[in-house]
Amino acid sequence: MAPTPHQAKTAKAKLIAGGKQPKARIQRYLKTTESQLVEGAKSALLLKGIRCSDAMSTVLKDMRSVQSPHAKLLTKNNMIVPFDDAGQQSLEFLTTKNDASLFAVASHNKKRPNNLVMGRTFDRRILDMVEIGVLQYRSLTDFGGLPKKRLGSKPLLQFVGDLWSSDVNLKRLQNLLIDFYRGDPVDSLVLSGLDHVMVFTAAEMTVGGQESYPLIHQRTYYMKLKKDPKGGKAPVPYLTPSGPDMDFKIRRTQFASPDLWKLAMKQPAGTKAKKKKNHTTNLFGETIGRLHLERQDIDNRSGKKSKALRLAEKIEKEEEGAAIESELGQEEVEMSSQFKQAYGFAPDNM
């Protein structure tokens, strides 16, 4: 059994103050509750309220079967009213004691029949809660003889309807349902491991022609992948209703404040991929890199020359030398003729 929050808090205070080390059991528990860069699957705690009918007890049992092995069901009734301060303190205590960040409380009374409160915690405190009223339910036993999902398999979650993107409450409910049923976080999936689909369809329901509210239909199907009869490479899924199926509506909500929600959504710096400088990706998924180099002085830089270029350069130099010598010879002849005309004899006779 995990230590109580008071024991954990006292042990941490002693450890910070440099006092006596906590007991080995408490020390091992504190190590497991430390923040981790990559968190595992979230556990769910399923509870019964003050009064719980047999139908709602069946709902909790089916939720445990769907979320197994990351769910724990407490069979006794609890004096808990989730939307009261005392009830929230009790939920925080029980979730901390059982190391669960998700919870569901089922109850039944005259004012709110077939009531189910789903919620989650952040930093051992209540983050948000949604109260739903179950209008129609078909349990796993109603689909007897049909194939069921494997233990610990991840579902495919599909949300159908425009209300999931337009209604604020349904947006938060969608986020909560994904957190509830997603299972272990993985980087890649194997097709053979996909065996069931959960479909949540949101539709507008009108009562008396005036009042309208969103109605959610939850359907679960067993999925078997078979070879494509048309010869395609991708397998074709064949769906079979397997349960549980439920129709429900939203009654009450208690969502986190914007500041607390922002804090809960914050990602640790260690999990973020470092951005590479001068790397971009185009529309076709190709990686483009840009190099920044200093200006190169290529005018005064001599490269390796081939033999043909060296021979051509030598011939050019010889031709330039012969042209210069011929010009100098002509200038010398002209100067000697001018000297002879002026003095009557050639400069060579001097």
Side-chain angles (χ1 to χ4, degrees), residues 118-136:
M118 303 173 64
R120 53 188 166 180
T121 62
F122 169 70
D123 195 19
R124 308 297 181 184
R125 296 291 181 268
I126 299 294
L127 179 65
D128 51 10
M129 293 187 298
V130 177
E131 183 183 62
I132 61 176
V134 180
L135 304 178
Q136 186 178 358

Side-chain angles (χ1 to χ4, degrees), residues 96-155:
T96 302
K97 186 176 181 180
N98 293 276
D99 194 19
S101 57
L102 304 169
F103 64 88
V105 182
S107 60
H108 178 79
N109 52 53
K110 186 176 180 180
K111 185 177 181 180
R112 294 185 178 89
N114 300 327
N115 201 55
L116 181 66
V117 178
M118 303 173 64
R120 53 188 166 180
T121 62
F122 169 70
D123 195 19
R124 308 297 181 184
R125 296 291 181 268
I126 299 294
L127 179 65
D128 51 10
M129 293 187 298
V130 177
E131 183 183 62
I132 61 176
V134 180
L135 304 178
Q136 186 178 358
Y137 187 76
R138 294 185 66 191
S139 66
L140 292 172
T141 56
D142 295 333
F143 295 89
L146 296 175
K148 302 293 189 298
K149 72 176 221 54
R150 291 188 295 269
L151 181 67
S153 62
K154 290 176 66 67

Side-chain angles (χ1 to χ4, degrees), residues 26-321:
I26 298 178
Q27 198 168 7
R28 287 195 300 270
Y29 174 74
L30 293 177
K31 190 174 182 179
T32 59
T33 57
E34 291 178 354
S35 300
Q36 300 177 4
L37 288 178
V38 180
E39 296 286 348
K42 294 184 178 181
S43 299
L45 183 65
L46 309 177
L47 307 165
K48 294 182 180 180
I50 300 175
R51 293 183 183 87
C52 185
S53 61
D54 293 339
M56 295 308 296
S57 299
T58 305
V59 172
L60 292 181
K61 290 178 182 178
D62 290 346
M63 289 181 68
R64 180 186 60 180
S65 300
V66 171
Q67 294 180 270
S68 183
H70 306 298
K72 184 176 182 180
L73 175 62
L74 303 184
T75 56
K76 293 184 178 180
N77 289 8
N78 300 273
M79 300 294 293
I80 294 178
V81 181
F83 284 88
D84 289 350
D85 294 338
Q88 293 184 15
Q89 292 178 3
S90 300
L91 286 174
E92 291 170 358
F93 170 77
L94 289 173
T95 52
T96 302
K97 186 176 181 180
N98 293 276
D99 194 19
S101 57
L102 304 169
F103 64 88
V105 182
S107 60
H108 178 79
N109 52 53
K110 186 176 180 180
K111 185 177 181 180
R112 294 185 178 89
N114 300 327
N115 201 55
L116 181 66
V117 178
M118 303 173 64
R120 53 188 166 180
T121 62
F122 169 70
D123 195 19
R124 308 297 181 184
R125 296 291 181 268
I126 299 294
L127 179 65
D128 51 10
M129 293 187 298
V130 177
E131 183 183 62
I132 61 176
V134 180
L135 304 178
Q136 186 178 358
Y137 187 76
R138 294 185 66 191
S139 66
L140 292 172
T141 56
D142 295 333
F143 295 89
L146 296 175
K148 302 293 189 298
K149 72 176 221 54
R150 291 188 295 269
L151 181 67
S153 62
K154 290 176 66 67
L156 290 176
L157 300 177
Q158 184 179 10
F159 294 88
V160 182
D162 297 335
L163 293 176
W164 292 112
S165 58
S166 60
D167 193 286
V168 178
N169 291 339
L170 288 183
K171 281 184 180 180
R172 289 291 185 91
L173 178 60
Q174 179 185 9
N175 189 280
L176 178 60
L177 291 173
I178 293 175
D179 231 5
F180 237 86
Y181 295 110
R182 69 173 184 173
D184 293 291
V186 294
D187 297 329
S188 58
L189 288 174
V190 181
L191 288 179
S192 59
L194 302 176
D195 60 358
H196 68 293
V197 184
M198 299 184 70
V199 183
F200 298 90
T201 305
E204 195 77 23
M205 182 62 66
T206 304
V207 178
Q210 296 179 354
E211 184 182 0
S212 63
Y213 60 89
L215 182 65
I216 296 94
H217 307 275
Q218 175 187 334
R219 298 293 182 266
T220 308
Y221 301 94
Y222 174 78
M223 181 176 63
K224 186 174 181 61
L225 299 177
K226 295 184 179 180
K227 189 176 181 179
D228 190 358
K230 297 182 180 178
K233 293 183 179 180
V236 177
Y238 289 84
L239 303 181
T240 305
S242 61
D245 294 347
M246 178 167 50
D247 296 342
F248 60 89
K249 65 177 182 179
I250 299 177
R251 284 177 176 163
R252 288 185 294 178
T253 59
Q254 179 180 317
F255 296 126
S257 61
D259 295 337
L260 182 58
W261 180 256
K262 184 178 180 181
L263 184 63
M265 296 292 290
K266 186 177 180 181
Q267 297 291 331
T271 58
K272 295 180 180 178
K274 292 185 179 179
K275 186 178 180 181
K276 295 182 179 180
K277 285 187 175 181
N278 305 319
H279 278 210
T280 56
T281 305
N282 58 13
L283 295 175
F284 304 101
E286 299 172 344
T287 302
I288 301 174
R290 179 179 296 178
L291 299 177
H292 296 275
L293 301 176
E294 297 180 357
R295 185 174 180 180
Q296 300 179 0
D297 188 7
I298 59 175
D299 296 332
N300 299 328
R301 184 167 296 182
S302 60
K304 185 178 180 181
K305 299 180 180 179
S306 64
K307 185 176 180 180
L309 293 177
R310 290 198 300 268
L311 183 60
E313 187 177 357
K314 184 178 179 180
I315 295 173
E316 186 179 357
K317 286 183 179 180
E318 290 178 355
E319 291 178 352
E320 289 180 358

